[in-house]
């Protein structure tokens, strides 16, 4: 029963990490490559341009200004975080979890690494 409860705890922590990654990807999709915007503007049929540094910076800033979940240890932005096409923000987060309900014989130092990737497409597209 304890192993089942620990597995549930890991699933909930992964779901929480995915929620944080979704928030970071949505925030990053709202970011803007200012240099490209002021150089090229927004072309008809295309969205506001994104760049890798802007997506990474936006995701990192979001993690810095929001409270860290207690169940996720070492929460950080990881590769591949950026934009594959200039319009989609892709954010990968890593963390580890120390299941509180693992049996004592497993040990105190056991952590389970988690990694999730979330994508969000920027929404402003001119006709």
């Amino acid at each position: 029963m304890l192993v089942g409860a620990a597995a549930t705890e890991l699933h909930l922590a992964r779901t929480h990490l995915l929620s944080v990654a979704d928030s970071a990807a949505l925030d990053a999709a709202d970011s803007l490559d200012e240099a490209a915007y002021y150089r090229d503007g927004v072309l008809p049929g295309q969205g506001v341009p994104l760049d890798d540094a802007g997506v990474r910076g936006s995701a990192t800033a979001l993690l810095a200004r929001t409270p860290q979940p207690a169940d996720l240890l070492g929460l950080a932005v990881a590769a591949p975080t950026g934009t594959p096409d200039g319009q989609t923000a892709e954010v990968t987060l890593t963390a580890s979890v120390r299941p509180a309900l693992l049996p004592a014989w497993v040990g105190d130092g056991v952590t389970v690494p988690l990694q999730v990737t979330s994508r969000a497409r920027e929404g402003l597209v001119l006709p």
Side-chain angles (χ1 to χ4, degrees):
M1 185 167 9
L2 288 177
V3 172
T8 300
E9 184 178 1
L10 289 174
H11 176 71
L12 291 174
R14 184 182 182 286
T15 302
H16 195 173
L17 183 61
L18 186 56
S19 174
V20 174
D22 285 344
S23 296
L26 285 171
D27 191 60
D30 288 338
S31 68
L32 168 69
D33 178 0
E34 290 183 23
Y37 175 75
Y38 287 115
R39 182 185 62 241
D40 304 328
V42 177
L43 303 174
Q46 294 185 1
V48 176
L50 302 175
D51 68 342
D52 289 335
V55 171
R56 272 192 307 275
S58 179
T60 302
L62 179 86
L63 289 183
R65 71 176 179 261
T66 56
Q68 298 279 338
D71 57 343
L72 300 176
L73 308 171
L75 180 59
V77 176
T81 293
T83 178
D85 60 4
Q87 295 181 338
T88 304
E90 183 176 277
V91 175
T92 300
L93 298 180
T94 59
S96 59
V97 178
R98 167 65 181 111
L101 298 176
L102 279 180
W105 53 265
V106 173
D108 290 334
V110 175
T111 59
V112 178
L114 296 176
Q115 178 175 340
V116 298
T117 300
S118 184
R119 292 175 187 84
R121 196 156 171 82
E122 55 82 22
L124 177 64
V125 177
L126 297 178

